């Protein structure tokens, strides 16, 4: 499903999270889908840092962090090159 509000996003944000499994991932999925679009984020559960990668505008960074906080998960910004 195409959503115009997600079409002009130009940043990639990377976070270390405390999400441990698919059940926990599904808890944040609906809100992340709403914020950035279903195909604009992933959580790598095989990575030791459970890395969340998001394609979006930087303005939604705080909203993303609040989604994780709402479920008592950590979500720490990681530097990348």
């Amino acid at each position: 499903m195409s959503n115009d509000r997600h079409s002009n996003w130009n940043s990639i944000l990377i976070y270390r999270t405390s999400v441990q499994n698919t059940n926990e991932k599904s808890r944040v999925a609906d809100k992340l889908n709403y914020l950035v679009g279903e195909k604009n984020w992933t959580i790598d559960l095989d990575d030791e840092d459970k890395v969340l990668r998001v394609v979006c505008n930087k303005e939604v960074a705080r909203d993303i962090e609040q989604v994780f906080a709402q479920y008592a998960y950590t979500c720490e910004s990681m530097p990348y090159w």
Side-chain angles (χ1 to χ4, degrees), residues 17-72:
T17 75
S18 62
V19 170
Q20 295 298 308
N21 55 51
T22 55
N23 288 334
E24 292 180 357
K25 181 178 173 181
S26 68
R27 290 182 188 145
V28 298
D30 285 341
K31 291 190 178 191
L32 289 176
N33 289 344
Y34 175 76
L35 282 173
V36 299
E38 185 174 347
K39 300 201 183 267
N40 292 324
W41 67 274
T42 61
I43 298 176
D44 185 351
L45 295 174
D46 294 326
D47 188 284
E48 69 182 35
D49 290 323
K50 310 306 183 208
V51 173
L52 166 67
R53 290 175 184 84
V54 185
V55 177
C56 62
N57 281 332
K58 291 182 181 181
E59 290 80 17
V60 299
R62 186 156 184 86
D63 295 331
I64 291 167
E65 293 167 8
Q66 288 175 349
V67 167
F68 283 79
Q70 180 179 16
Y71 294 99

